């Protein structure tokens, strides 16, 4: 019997537990279990798995849940990492049985790894029903290699070992794995629903508050649901009720929120003109908000949304103006990240309209804000896309060639990993440390050589570009990192920082700090619309 829950989140977790019990009832053979949820409720499946791990036996589930988060580098390395994680946990546990000593020493082969899991289960068989192995690598070096390892693993799962993965309806990543191993796979579809959760949460709130506030929240929740599932007419009808109440109570912030939702509904149903009018009403409402911080936040959001609607309507002049206004509000609010994004998008819109001088004015504003951020933080902003826009404008063919190199690198890296994994099949079992080290050294050497070859290819492309193209690269290398070469950027395969990379022949050096100052000074006070 599933334990009762006294809050909406735990009620949905309990429903998932019921599904688990029903789906896995009397399933003692090893197999794959995929939890599939809506993207906005994926946390519910993770919550169940974490809860069962922290409180074994909860919800009437007599299984031992364990999440393994070792990074996936290669298949052979992952086998070794899982072995070490399993044995390390077993040594640190306080399970009431004699110490477990695995029959096999460290292994890099999947059959031997799962033989160790089988031995662990046999040793502890009286303590739980099954072992539930939740695989959630903190990083994955190559998606193809990771999927390849999983395909090899599923047929090897011993009795009473269930391997759990999670995906979403929007991105059913593990469907190929299910299709390849139908007889050994279970798909558990989560019924968790964000809107039901929101409604349950609202209804559970104490009833002693302002009844108008309670009514408005209920109308707002209905609007959220109708935006996802309803018609434009249904959204408009419910929005009118919410707006009437918010207007009567003189709640400008709430009016702005509702107008933004109305606009979103119009955009969803293909009516950009109506959406623009609703966003304009949202801005008018936001301007009446007395609290400065909230007013600026709402204005920034509404201006950016209005700009996006104009952009979707190919009206780049209006989109530019709204992005610039939103950037000014973000600047006044002290939000450098949003200010940078607003100025960048204003420049992007002007590039779409083929107005380089005006675009450069707005880009100069964005760069000015980027300089206020720490160097490592700049790469997390949209600044790389600013420089990519300029590269595409000045020399589309060479900018695209730089991007194509990144795709080539991914294919090359994947091939090197696959080739190395084939060599790993010949390693001894139990694994010999010297053999593993030698194979790792070979892998690292091949990856580094391939990485430098891609860098060299990109550098040749940059050298073939025109002067303006190269000037953009120099500016980016000054503000991002000294070896930046277009979007997407290529990370070092061994996670070495750019400062430790080898300098390739004829490398285009970063621009001087003064070149950044010159760009800002030349453009920031000229060319605005």
């Amino acid at each position: 019997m599933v334990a009762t829950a006294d809050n909406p989140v735990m009620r949905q977790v309990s429903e998932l537990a019921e599904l688990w019990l029903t789906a896995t009832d009397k399933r003692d053979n090893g197999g794959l279990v995929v939890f599939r949820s809506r993207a906005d409720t994926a946390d519910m499946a993770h919550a169940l798995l974490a809860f069962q791990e922290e409180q074994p036996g909860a919800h009437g589930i007599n299984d031992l849940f364990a999440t393994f988060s070792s990074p996936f580098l290669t298949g052979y390395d992952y086998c070794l990492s899982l072995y070490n994680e399993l044995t390390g946990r077993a040594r640190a546990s306080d399970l009431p049985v004699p110490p477990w000593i695995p029959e096999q020493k460290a292994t890099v082969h999947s059959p031997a790894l799962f033989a160790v899991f089988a031995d662990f289960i046999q040793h502890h068989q009286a303590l739980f029903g099954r072992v539930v192995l939740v695989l959630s690598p903190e990083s994955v070096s190559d998606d193809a290699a990771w999927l390849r390892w999983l395909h090899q693993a599923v047929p090897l799962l011993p009795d009473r070992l269930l391997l759990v993965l999670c995906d979403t309806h929007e991105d059913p990543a593990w469907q190929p794995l299910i299709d390849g191993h139908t007889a050994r796979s279970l798909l558990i579809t989560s019924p968790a629903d964000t809107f039901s959760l929101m409604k349950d949460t609202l209804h559970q709130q104490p009833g002693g508050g302002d009844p108008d506030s309670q009514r408005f929240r209920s109308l707002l929740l209905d609007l959220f649901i109708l935006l996802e599932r309803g018609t434009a007419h249904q959204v408009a009808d419910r929005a009118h009720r919410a707006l009437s109440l918010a207007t009567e109570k003189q709640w400008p912030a709430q009016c702005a929120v509702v107008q933004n939702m109305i606009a979103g509904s119009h955009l969803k149903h293909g009516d950009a003109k109506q959406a623009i009018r609703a966003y304009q009403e949202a801005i008018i409402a936001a301007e009446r908000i007395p609290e400065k911080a909230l007013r600026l936040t709402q204005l920034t959001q509404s201006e950016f949304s209005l700009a996006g609607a104009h952009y979707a309507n190919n009206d780049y002049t209006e989109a530019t103006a709204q992005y610039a206004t939103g950037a000014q509000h973000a600047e006044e609010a002290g939000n450098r990240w949003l200010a940078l994004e607003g100025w960048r998008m204003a420049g992007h819109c002007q590039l779409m309209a083929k107005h380089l001088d005006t675009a450069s004015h707005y880009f100069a504003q964005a760069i000015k804000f980027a300089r206020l951020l720490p160097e490592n933080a700049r790469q997390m902003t949209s600044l790389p896309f600013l420089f990519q826009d300029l590269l595409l404008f000045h020399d589309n063919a060479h900018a695209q060639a730089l991007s194509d190199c990144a795709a080539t690198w991914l294919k090359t890296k994947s091939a090197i990993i696959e080739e190395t994994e084939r060599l790993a099949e010949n390693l001894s079992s139990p694994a010999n440390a010297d053999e593993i080290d030698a194979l790792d050294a070979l892998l690292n050497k091949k990856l580094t050589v391939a990485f430098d070859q891609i860098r060299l290819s990109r550098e040749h492309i940059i050298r073939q570009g025109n002067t303006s193209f190269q000037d953009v690269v120099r500016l980016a290398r000054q503000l991002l990192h000294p070896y930046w070469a277009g979007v997407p950027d290529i990370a070092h395969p061994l996670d070495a920082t750019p400062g430790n990379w080898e300098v390739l022949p004829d490398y285009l050096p970063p621009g001087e700090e003064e070149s950044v100052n010159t760009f800002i000074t030349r453009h920031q006070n000229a060319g605005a619309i």
Side-chain angles (χ1 to χ4, degrees):
M1 178 69 69
V2 173
T4 58
D6 59 0
N7 68 71
V9 172
M10 287 310 299
R11 278 197 291 275
Q12 293 207 3
V13 169
S14 294
E15 289 179 13
L16 286 180
E18 283 279 18
L19 285 176
W20 173 271
L21 286 168
T22 301
T24 62
D25 184 39
K26 299 179 182 178
R27 188 182 180 96
D28 290 331
N29 294 335
L32 168 71
V33 180
V34 174
F35 263 112
R36 183 163 296 163
S37 314
R38 289 165 49 99
D40 56 2
T41 60
D43 286 346
M44 293 297 171
H46 295 293
L48 170 65
L49 298 172
F51 188 79
Q52 293 300 141
E53 185 168 355
E54 293 171 4
Q55 299 190 32
H59 297 106
I61 299 176
N62 186 34
D63 296 326
L64 179 66
F65 285 69
T67 299
F68 284 62
S69 57
S70 297
F72 182 92
L73 302 176
T74 63
Y76 69 87
D77 176 83
Y78 196 57
C79 286
L80 184 58
S81 296
L82 291 183
Y83 174 89
N84 290 332
E85 195 167 351
L86 173 63
T87 54
R89 287 185 178 203
R91 282 192 295 269
S93 73
D94 54 0
L95 293 171
V97 293
W100 170 66
I101 301 175
E103 294 181 355
Q104 176 127 7
K105 295 182 180 179
T107 180
V108 296
H109 301 295
S110 294
L113 169 68
F114 289 111
V116 173
F117 270 97
D119 188 55
F120 173 83
I121 293 170
Q122 179 68 24
H123 185 79
H124 298 89
Q125 60 184 329
L127 300 180
F128 45 74
R130 292 157 299 203
V131 170
V132 180
L133 176 61
V134 183
L135 293 184
S136 182
E138 62 185 26
S139 62
V140 172
S141 65
D142 179 65
D143 289 337
W146 170 224
L147 183 59
R148 189 165 56 244
W149 186 91
L150 290 168
H151 271 297
Q152 294 169 352
V154 173
L156 300 172
L157 297 172
D159 289 347
R160 299 174 60 202
L161 178 63
L162 296 179
L163 187 157
V164 174
L165 298 166
C166 299
D167 66 13
T168 65
H169 292 288
E170 293 83 352
D171 180 21
W174 305 124
Q175 192 59 47
L177 199 59
I178 295 172
D179 294 340
H181 306 277
T182 305
R184 304 205 79 191
S185 299
L186 282 174
L187 175 63
I188 299 179
T189 302
S190 168
D193 185 318
T194 296
F195 301 120
S196 297
L197 179 63
M198 292 167 65
K199 182 168 285 189
D200 286 348
T201 302
L202 176 65
H203 290 162
Q204 189 166 300
Q205 290 180 345
D210 177 8
D212 288 329
S213 296
Q214 290 278 352
R215 181 179 165 220
F216 182 81
R217 283 197 296 270
S218 181
L219 289 168
L220 202 62
L221 177 57
D222 288 344
L223 270 176
F224 275 114
I225 297 173
L226 290 171
L227 273 172
E228 177 73 15
R229 304 173 180 174
T231 65
H233 176 75
Q234 289 172 320
V235 171
D237 177 69
R238 199 56 53 96
H240 177 73
R241 299 186 208 176
L243 273 178
S244 295
L245 178 59
T247 302
E248 176 188 340
K249 303 300 292 185
Q250 297 185 3
W251 294 337
Q254 286 81 344
C255 287
V257 169
V258 174
Q259 291 287 4
N260 274 303
M261 295 174 78
I262 294 172
S265 176
H266 286 310
L267 278 183
K268 180 179 179 180
H269 292 91
D271 193 339
K273 290 184 178 179
Q274 288 282 14
I276 287 169
R277 281 194 280 271
Y279 282 133
Q280 289 169 339
E281 290 295 329
I283 292 169
I284 292 171
E287 288 171 341
R288 298 197 299 266
I289 299 173
E291 301 87 351
K292 181 179 180 180
L294 180 58
R295 180 175 67 252
L296 291 174
T297 297
Q298 289 274 24
L299 283 172
T300 301
Q301 175 189 333
S302 298
E303 293 284 0
F304 280 9
S305 297
L306 176 57
H310 282 301
Y311 186 94
N313 211 32
N314 297 323
D315 189 343
Y316 300 122
T317 299
E318 282 297 327
T320 299
Q322 301 306 326
Y323 276 123
T325 302
Q328 290 168 346
H329 292 316
E331 182 177 347
E332 187 179 354
N335 191 323
R336 295 173 181 172
W337 293 69
L338 284 181
L340 189 160
E341 175 62 6
W343 292 123
R344 180 191 77 84
M345 279 303 300
H348 171 79
C349 290
Q350 285 301 291
L351 279 189
M352 293 294 291
K354 310 298 183 185
H355 298 152
L356 177 61
D357 289 342
T358 312
S360 296
H361 161 77
Y362 295 113
F363 286 156
Q365 308 300 320
I367 290 172
K368 182 177 68 174
F369 278 94
R371 293 182 68 189
L372 301 176
L373 298 172
E375 183 175 338
N376 59 350
R378 294 174 197 161
Q379 297 179 51
M380 305 302 293
T381 70
S382 60
L383 188 61
F385 298 101
L386 181 158
F387 294 121
Q388 185 69 9
D389 273 349
L390 285 172
L391 291 182
L392 288 166
F393 184 88
H394 287 300
D395 193 334
N396 185 285
H398 285 101
Q400 188 59 52
L402 291 177
S403 297
D404 292 343
C405 278
T408 300
W409 159 246
L410 291 178
K411 292 178 182 177
T412 302
K413 182 176 71 167
S414 184
I416 290 171
I417 289 174
E418 185 172 8
E419 179 185 14
T420 308
E421 287 178 341
R422 283 199 296 268
L423 294 174
E425 294 173 2
N426 298 321
L427 293 177
S428 60
S429 185
N432 179 290
D434 290 338
E435 289 181 306
I436 296 173
D437 289 344
L439 194 59
D440 283 341
L442 178 63
L443 172 64
N444 293 343
K445 180 179 179 180
K446 288 181 177 179
L447 287 174
T448 302
V449 169
F451 176 71
D452 285 340
Q453 287 175 343
I454 289 293
R455 290 174 55 213
L456 195 57
S457 296
R458 278 186 144 187
E459 205 62 25
H460 288 160
I461 292 169
I462 290 169
R463 286 296 189 179
Q464 292 166 4
N466 57 41
T467 301
S468 297
F469 186 87
Q470 293 184 18
D471 286 344
V472 172
V473 173
R474 287 191 180 93
L475 198 61
R477 288 181 172 180
Q478 175 64 36
L479 286 164
L480 294 171
H481 68 77
Y483 304 110
W484 187 85
V487 173
D489 209 352
I490 298 176
H492 193 281
L494 308 183
D495 295 328
T497 59
N500 295 321
W501 295 0
E502 179 182 350
V503 177
L504 296 175
D506 201 26
Y507 215 84
L508 189 73
E512 300 294 332
E513 177 70 22
E514 190 55 38
S515 65
V516 179
N517 296 333
T518 300
F519 183 91
I520 294 173
T521 301
R522 181 189 307 155
H523 297 293
Q524 70 174 347
N525 295 319
I529 64 171

